Amino acid sequence: DLKVNQKVELTFDVDGIHKQFDADLVVGADGIRSSVRRLLIDEEVSPLRYLGCIVILGICKLNALSNLKTELLDGKTVFQTANGTQRMYMMPFDKDSVMWQFSYPISEEEARTLSKNGSGALKNEVLKLTKNWHHPIPQILEATQPNEITGYPVYDRALLSSDLLENAGPVTILGDAAHPMSPFKGQGANQALLDALHLAQKITSVYNDRKDVDLRKDV
């Protein structure tokens, strides 16, 4: 919960216990389904927009691929394969594993159902769609444990207009909580970092201007 007076009153539900805090400024950088955004903007006014595709992600341990010989698993290489409709992106995740991301067009209802059916269904789907793809994609997918696989429909939001935040007071949103962008290539996190820098510069500028005014008053 969030109430705006001279300070922002925040209430968090922590294991059934309500904890309250006061803040001078609240910044919501909590993703496309931002809780802060929902408190500022009615979901019906600016709803999620389905982008017509699903993304399935997995992390595969390299020790499960010990018999697989390929320069694409050298711990440095990032590669992408696409056929005009479907796209597979793979990259090192850490020194012990590789991460993959598969996306393709599908109806929203089918995407929701597939996501709801869980990691086993997601793995079977991506294996089916890539069974004839080049080495080592099918092998990596086969070696990925289902508990390391997630998948969900892809959404963004419409561009914000200033009137939607005119009563927000000392509360704002950053990253993909604010901008219309899809969850690919870390756009949301990277944009949140840029937004945070811009916000810090604005706050510093206003603070310095007020400080200069106060100093002139004292003279």
Side-chain angles (χ1 to χ4, degrees), residues 40-61:
L40 298 176
I41 304 170
D42 192 307
E43 192 70 12
E44 293 185 3
V45 173
S46 182
L48 289 169
R49 304 187 302 186
Y50 183 55
L51 295 181
C53 67
I54 189 170
V55 61
I56 303 175
L57 306 104
I59 297 173
C60 183
K61 298 296 183 183

Side-chain angles (χ1 to χ4, degrees), residues 58-65 96-100 139-141 143-145 148:
I59 297 173
C60 183
K61 298 296 183 183
L62 292 176
N63 60 16
L65 303 168
D96 299 316
S97 55
V98 62
M99 184 276 284
W100 53 265
Q139 292 82 1
I140 293 172
L141 298 177
T144 305
Q145 294 300 307
E148 296 285 0

Side-chain angles (χ1 to χ4, degrees), residues 33-102:
R33 299 179 185 275
S34 167
S35 297
V36 176
R37 182 187 176 110
R38 285 199 304 272
L39 292 167
L40 298 176
I41 304 170
D42 192 307
E43 192 70 12
E44 293 185 3
V45 173
S46 182
L48 289 169
R49 304 187 302 186
Y50 183 55
L51 295 181
C53 67
I54 189 170
V55 61
I56 303 175
L57 306 104
I59 297 173
C60 183
K61 298 296 183 183
L62 292 176
N63 60 16
L65 303 168
S66 56
N67 296 323
L68 192 59
K69 304 303 179 186
T70 171
E71 65 275 11
L72 295 176
L73 293 175
D74 60 3
K76 302 174 184 176
T77 299
V78 176
F79 71 94
Q80 176 176 273
T81 300
N83 61 10
T85 304
Q86 301 155 337
R87 168 185 171 271
M88 175 65 75
Y89 173 86
M90 288 194 177
M91 62 171 283
F93 182 72
D94 56 30
K95 63 183 180 63
D96 299 316
S97 55
V98 62
M99 184 276 284
W100 53 265
Q101 181 192 73
F102 184 66

Side-chain angles (χ1 to χ4, degrees), residues 3-216:
K3 294 179 181 177
V4 178
N5 297 310
Q6 287 195 339
K7 284 186 175 287
V8 185
E9 300 174 25
L10 299 165
T11 303
F12 295 94
D13 185 337
V14 183
D15 297 327
I17 300 172
H18 286 182
K19 297 188 177 183
Q20 293 185 323
F21 302 88
D22 290 339
D24 295 312
L25 172 67
V26 172
V27 179
D30 48 341
I32 194 167
R33 299 179 185 275
S34 167
S35 297
V36 176
R37 182 187 176 110
R38 285 199 304 272
L39 292 167
L40 298 176
I41 304 170
D42 192 307
E43 192 70 12
E44 293 185 3
V45 173
S46 182
L48 289 169
R49 304 187 302 186
Y50 183 55
L51 295 181
C53 67
I54 189 170
V55 61
I56 303 175
L57 306 104
I59 297 173
C60 183
K61 298 296 183 183
L62 292 176
N63 60 16
L65 303 168
S66 56
N67 296 323
L68 192 59
K69 304 303 179 186
T70 171
E71 65 275 11
L72 295 176
L73 293 175
D74 60 3
K76 302 174 184 176
T77 299
V78 176
F79 71 94
Q80 176 176 273
T81 300
N83 61 10
T85 304
Q86 301 155 337
R87 168 185 171 271
M88 175 65 75
Y89 173 86
M90 288 194 177
M91 62 171 283
F93 182 72
D94 56 30
K95 63 183 180 63
D96 299 316
S97 55
V98 62
M99 184 276 284
W100 53 265
Q101 181 192 73
F102 184 66
S103 56
Y104 63 97
I106 186 175
S107 74
E108 185 175 14
E109 183 179 352
E110 289 174 305
R112 285 180 173 177
T113 299
L114 184 57
S115 180
K116 188 182 297 184
N117 286 342
S119 57
L122 291 164
K123 179 173 181 175
N124 289 338
E125 182 72 3
V126 71
L127 281 171
K128 179 183 73 175
L129 293 172
T130 60
K131 65 180 179 181
N132 296 320
W133 285 36
H134 70 78
H135 176 92
I137 289 175
Q139 292 82 1
I140 293 172
L141 298 177
E142 186 63 56
T144 305
Q145 294 300 307
N147 65 333
E148 296 285 0
I149 297 174
T150 59
Y152 46 84
V154 178
Y155 297 90
D156 76 353
R157 292 187 186 275
L159 189 66
L160 277 177
S161 57
S162 57
D163 60 293
L164 292 176
L165 294 173
E166 63 183 359
N167 297 316
V171 183
T172 192
I173 48 180
L174 306 181
D176 46 9
H179 303 285
M181 56 179 57
S182 58
F184 295 107
K185 296 183 173 65
Q187 293 180 95
N190 287 316
Q191 187 62 53
L193 291 170
L194 292 171
D195 288 347
L197 176 61
H198 184 64
L199 177 62
Q201 290 170 336
K202 286 292 186 182
I203 292 172
T204 301
S205 175
V206 171
Y207 172 78
N208 288 336
D209 287 346
R210 288 182 180 177
K211 196 164 135 183
D212 289 343
V213 169
D214 291 341
L215 285 172
R216 287 195 294 271

